Amino acid sequence: MTTDYTPMWQELGLDLAGHEALLNVLGTAYTDIYLSQKNRPEGMGYFDFVMSEVHGLRIKELMDEKAAGRKIIGSYCVFVPEEIVLAANATLVGLCSGADFAMEKVEQLLPRNTCALIKSSFGFKIGKVCPYLESADMIVGENTCDGKKKAYETLGTLVDNLYVMDLPQTKTDQTRDLLKAEYMKFKTAVEELTGITVTAESLKSAIDVVNAKRAAIHRLSALRKADPAPISGLDALLANQVFFYDNPARFTESVNKICDELETRIQEKTGAFPAGAPRILVSGCPQAVPNWKLHMIVETAGAVIVGEESCVGERGTRNLTADTGTTVDEMMDAIVDRYFQVDCAIFTPNPQRLDHIQEMVTAYNAQGVIHYGLQFCQPYLMESIPVEKALEEKNIPCLRVETDYGMEDAGQLKTRVEAFIEQLR
Amino acid sequence: MTTDYTPMWQELGLDLAGHEALLNVLGTAYTDIYLSQKNRPEGMGYFDFVMSEVHGLRIKELMDEKAAGRKIIGSYCVFVPEEIVLAANATLVGLCSGADFAMEKVEQLLPRNTCALIKSSFGFKIGKVCPYLESADMIVGENTCDGKKKAYETLGTLVDNLYVMDLPQTKTDQTRDLLKAEYMKFKTAVEELTGITVTAESLKSAIDVVNAKRAAIHRLSALRKADPAPISGLDALLANQVFFYDNPARFTESVNKICDELETRIQEKTGAFPAGAPRILVSGCPQAVPNWKLHMIVETAGAVIVGEESCVGERGTRNLTADTGTTVDEMMDAIVDRYFQVDCAIFTPNPQRLDHIQEMVTAYNAQGVIHYGLQFCQPYLMESIPVEKALEEKNIPCLRVETDYGMEDAGQLKTRVEAFIEQLR
C-alpha cells in the first residue's frame, strides 16, 4: 500500500499492532502462494492490486461512502441477498473469516470443536483486526448450520448491530414462504437502516448489477473448461473471493477484462498449467480469504483446479435472479426463487447438490473431485460420505479432506493429495 | 429373563450373538451401577424388572400388540407427540441410542466427529441389536440438530419406514404455523399407517393418558426436593428413561406407587443419601439407556443428583398439554402449544432454557450444576458456555463436562467431578 491508512484504522478502532501483524502474514502468504505462480494472466494484476489494498483502499472507499451517507452491511453467507441491499442504496461486503486469530480468547466463547470459519469470524472481532466488520452499520447473521446459528447468540453480545435472518431447513411451499417472509423483513430492516425505500426501479437496477457480476463469473468459469486451463484454480478462487468485497461494477468489468484475455490464451493454447495436467473439481465448504491452503497444495503438486462447488464458487453464484418482474413484490419473489435454489448442505434432503457436482465434473472435464470439509462442519462432513459414494459408483475418484486453517496437517494433506493426483494421471 | 425370547428375536431379524453380548454388558452394568446402590425405594423393584425385561417382555407385549393389528412407532426425540400416536391407536417407543455398538461400521456412514447419540442409533441398526427398532412399523426422525437432520438422510437408506418431520429453528407465529403443519402431516401419516382416524374422543383420551404419565413424573420430581433426597438421581433418571418405553398406564401407576413410598420416606427422613449430601442439577444433552455414566460418577462420589434439565428429564416432561379443547383442531393446537415450549438448544435464541435451569436450581435446592454435553453436540456445547457464565454470575457453581459413551475418560471425569463436589460442601 502506498498510502498510510493508519489514521483510518485507528478511527475504526482496530488493534493496530495486531492488524499490522495480520497484514504482514497476509502479504507474505500472498507473495508466496500467488505471486510465485507461473504463466498467470496479466489481468490478475487487478486482483493483486485489490489484495494489496484489501484493508486499505477498499476500506477507504467504504469510509467515503459512509461519509456520503451510504450504509455498509456485512454478511457471512450467500443467503443474504445483495439485490435488496443495493436497492436500498447500501453496500454489502463479506466479513473476514478465513484465518485464525485470537484463538485463545475465541475458545473462551465458543467450544473448541467449532469449525474454523466460525471461530475465525469471532477472532477477527475479538482481535479487532477486520476493518470490514468495524465499518459495518449492520451485520447480518443467518440460521444456516447449528454452529453459526448458536454462535450468533454470542456474537450479538460482541457487536451492537447484529441482525439475524431465519432460514428454512427443507424445501417446500411452506418453507419458501418462510424465506420470503424473512427476505421481506430483511428488506424492511435495510430500509429502516438507510432511510431509503426500495422501489421497483431501484430493485430492478440492483438485480441487473448483481446478475452482471454473476454473469462475469459464469464467463470466467466457462473458460476454465479449456485444456490447457487458461487460469489457475488459485487465481479463479481469488476472483470468487473478491466477488464478496469489491465494488460490483468494477468487479464485473475487471473479470470481463480477464475473460477477454483468457479467450486469447485459449486460442493460443496458453495455459497456466501444461495441457493434460490432471483436472480437479473442489467441492464442499467455502474458502474465504486467505484460506488458499487446499488450492495451493493441489496446484503445487501439478494438478489444476477447474471449478469450485462451493459458496465461494458456483454454489454461491450459479443462478441469476429473473429480471422479468415489474413490481417490487414480483422481484422479491424472483429473488426468493433464486436463493431458494442454493443447494447448501443445511437443507434436507439436498439431492440437487450431488447432481450439480456431477454436472460440474462433466462440464469442466474434471478427472476427480476433492471434497473439502472444514473440521467440525457437520453439514458438509455428513454430506461428503454419500457424495463420495455416489461419485465412486460413477467411477469418479473422490478424495475426502477434513482440515482447518492451521498448517499443522499440510504435510499429511500434501501426501494424500499427491497420491490422489497420481491416481488421475 | 425367565422366558426364552430367542425365537422372537430371531423373528425380528436380530443378530443373536451380538444381541446376547449387548444384553450381557447391559445386565452387568445394571447390576454394578443400579443394584449396588444402598437405601433404594422398594418401588424401584418395578424398574429393576422392567430393565431385566427391556428386550424381553416389553418386546413380547409390542409383538402381541402388532399381532392384534396395532402399529408400533419408534422415535428418537421428545418432539414426536405421543398424543397423536396413541389417538390413532398406535404405540410410541423410544429407540435405542445410549451405547456404542458396531462403531467401525458406523464410522463408514457417519463422520467420526458425530455425537455418540447419533452414532449409537446407527450402531443399533447396523448391528441389528435393537428389537424396538426392528419391531417398529414407522420410524420418526425430526430436523432438530444438523447431526440428526443429515444423519436421517443416511438412516433412510438403512430402514424402509423412515418418516422425517421438519422443525422450526426459531419461535415466531410463522414457525409455530410450520410446527402445526408438520404435526397435522404427522397425524395424517399415522392415520394412514394405522387406518384409524383420530377423533376428538380418541385425542382427548390420548392427551389424558400422556398428561397422567407426565404428572406422575412431576410428582416424582417434586419429591426429590426433600433433604435427605428420598431417591437417588440414578433411580430417578431410570424412571425418566423408562418413560419412553413402557406401557403408559402401567408406567403412571408404577411411578405413583413409588411416589407414595417416597412420601413416607420423606416423613421418616429416610434418604437414598445422608441429609446434607451435596445436591447437583444435571443440565444438557439427553441420557438414554444405558448411558448412566455421569450419574454414576457423581453419586459414587457422594453427591446426589436432584434433577435433570434434559430431554430425558424436565425439558421433555415439564409441560402438560391443555385438555380444554373439544375439537380435533383445538386439541392439535393445544399439542402444538405444548411442544412449542420445549426449550431445546436447537432454537435460537433460547433464553427460556437458561431461565428454567435457574428455576430448577432454586426449586430443587441444588448447590451446583453439571452441564452434560455430548462431544460434538454443537447446540448444547455452544449453549453451555453462556449457561455457565450466567450461573456463575449468580454464584451458582457450574461444571461443564464434555464426554461420550466410552469409559476412557471416566477416571479424568471422576477427578473433575470430585473436585467440583468438594467445592460445594
Side-chain angles (χ1 to χ4, degrees), chain B residues 23-34:
Chain B
L23 287 189
N24 285 341
V25 170
L26 186 65
T28 305
Y30 194 79
T31 303
D32 291 350
I33 298 171
Y34 273 87

Side-chain angles (χ1 to χ4, degrees), chain B residues 107-180:
Chain B
E107 290 183 359
Q108 290 170 14
L109 297 178
L110 296 175
R112 197 178 33 83
N113 291 351
T114 305
C115 87
L117 192 138
I118 297 172
K119 284 206 233 181
S120 169
S121 64
F122 272 55
F124 278 100
K125 176 63 210 175
I126 293 169
K128 296 181 189 160
V129 291
C130 177
Y132 292 92
L133 185 64
E134 301 306 332
S135 65
D137 300 291
M138 179 195 256
I139 294 163
V140 188
E142 75 308 312
N143 295 338
T144 41
C145 60
D146 287 340
K148 287 173 95 181
K149 177 170 79 174
K150 299 303 287 182
Y152 289 129
E153 295 174 11
T154 300
L155 189 65
T157 66
L158 303 178
V159 301
D160 55 11
N161 48 4
L162 181 69
Y163 176 95
V164 179
M165 185 185 279
D166 198 21
L167 287 182
Q169 312 191 75
T170 57
K171 292 184 176 175
T172 66
D173 290 347
Q174 195 176 13
T175 57
R176 186 198 172 280
D177 289 347
L178 185 120
L179 187 63
K180 175 144 189 214

Side-chain angles (χ1 to χ4, degrees), chain A residues 299-320:
Chain A
E299 298 203 326
T300 51
V304 57
I305 291 173
V306 292
E308 291 80 23
E309 189 283 314
S310 163
C311 304
V312 184
E314 269 197 36
R315 191 187 309 128
T317 57
R318 65 196 283 221
N319 298 306
L320 298 185

Side-chain angles (χ1 to χ4, degrees), chain A residues 4 11 30 47 62 78 80 121 155 179 233 250 261 289 293 303 318 336 360 362 389 394-395 422:
Chain A
D4 179 13
E11 199 187 320
Y30 195 78
F47 289 103
L62 297 181
V78 297
V80 180
S121 64
L155 189 66
L179 187 65
R250 186 175 56 207
E261 182 187 352
V289 170
K293 181 172 157 181
R318 65 196 283 221
V336 172
M360 286 185 77
T362 307
K389 195 164 165 252
K394 301 214 167 180
N395 293 315
E422 273 315 301

Side-chain angles (χ1 to χ4, degrees), chain A residues 324-339:
Chain A
T324 48
T326 52
T327 64
V328 169
D329 198 59
E330 282 169 4
M331 286 184 261
M332 286 298 291
D333 270 323
I335 290 169
V336 172
D337 286 337
R338 189 262 163 203
Y339 286 88

